[in-house]
Amino acid sequence: MPALVKGQEEFVVHGDSSDWNLVFSDPGTENWQEHWFLDGELATVENSDQGMHFSAGPVNRNDAHHAVLWTKSSFQGDLKIEYNYTRTDDQSVNVNILYIQATGTGEGQFDKDIAAWRDYRKVPTMSKYYNNMNAIHISYAAFPMVNSEPENDYIRVRRYPATEKIKFADTEVPPAYFKTGLFKPGLTYHLSWLKTEDQLTLEVSGPEESIQYQWDLSDFPPISEGRIGLRHMFTRAARYSDFKVYTKK
């Protein structure tokens, strides 16, 4: 299994700090539209006692079947994001994504407030996001679009936007992690993300073990405000519960 790149002690200090202020809490059991809005007209979102079940459209390779849930709230500064994630699909292709602090680039129609141009994203083509948003992107429980091996998953971080000078491939924040052994269908994992100006850390606690990952953001422009998003590529589905966001006091 992959090991933490560096800073395990620092991660624990950040994670256990009493300096965090809870600013967003959604158990996932009540009307999702109180806290979220949806890109993509073919997705389904359903609440139950177990949490919020989010499914992209069922047709593979059809961009209209992508989907993104966005928080109505925007968050500033250092963040801690925690939630329970249960994969409910059995796919071995396509990607789940967490977007952190997404805003529009401010160029042309792409206002900093991404809600102002949500109609443009009724068909949630990936390029509409990575070309026109400032955001941290994390793919997890993710698979190549052509793949037949259920163990061939990965976790990868990107820093949007891609531009004429910065191609999409160059948005990657190393390292990427492959064949993690995590995010198996039907099992619940607790994810805890810590995002500071120059560092991103993930702790995944599953039924068998906890694993930590870390990325150095210092070579990329800092992200300081914006919405949080949950993206499912076509065919992907999962349940979320106890979704919480903290900011530094």
Side-chain angles (χ1 to χ4, degrees), residues 20 27 30-31 38 41 55 66 77 89 99 104 106 117 133 138 148 156 168 182 191 230 240 245:
W20 295 100
E30 300 177 355
N31 184 2
L38 178 65
E41 299 182 315
S55 299
H66 291 308
D89 64 61
Y99 294 126
W117 44 284
M133 289 184 181
I138 309 103
S148 60
R156 177 180 289 132
F168 179 71
L182 300 171
L191 278 63
L230 305 173
Y240 300 83
V245 182

Side-chain angles (χ1 to χ4, degrees), residues 166-192:
I166 303 173
K167 303 304 181 185
F168 179 71
D170 297 327
T171 64
E172 181 173 348
V173 180
Y177 298 91
F178 299 94
K179 297 186 177 180
T180 70
L182 300 171
F183 310 118
K184 296 175 182 176
L187 299 182
T188 297
Y189 298 83
H190 183 75
L191 278 63
S192 180

Side-chain angles (χ1 to χ4, degrees), residues 99-112:
Y99 294 126
I100 296 179
Q101 290 180 315
T103 61
T105 60
E107 299 179 4
Q109 66 175 302
F110 305 112
D111 192 274
K112 285 188 67 176

Side-chain angles (χ1 to χ4, degrees), residues 65 68 92 185 201 224 230 236:
H65 288 249
V68 185
S92 58
T201 311
S224 60
L230 305 173
R236 300 304 305 271

Side-chain angles (χ1 to χ4, degrees), residues 146-217:
V146 178
N147 178 56
S148 60
E149 298 297 329
E151 295 81 20
N152 196 25
D153 76 299
Y154 63 88
I155 302 173
R156 177 180 289 132
V157 174
R158 296 187 182 276
R159 170 64 168 89
Y160 292 177
T163 65
E164 290 184 0
K165 295 182 179 180
I166 303 173
K167 303 304 181 185
F168 179 71
D170 297 327
T171 64
E172 181 173 348
V173 180
Y177 298 91
F178 299 94
K179 297 186 177 180
T180 70
L182 300 171
F183 310 118
K184 296 175 182 176
L187 299 182
T188 297
Y189 298 83
H190 183 75
L191 278 63
S192 180
W193 306 87
L194 296 174
K195 173 260 158 190
T196 64
E197 182 174 300
D198 58 5
Q199 188 177 94
L200 174 70
T201 311
L202 165 64
E203 182 175 47
V204 184
S205 299
E208 298 177 350
E209 59 187 331
S210 294
I211 303 176
Q212 297 175 340
Y213 304 90
Q214 193 170 72
W215 295 266
D216 183 355
L217 304 175

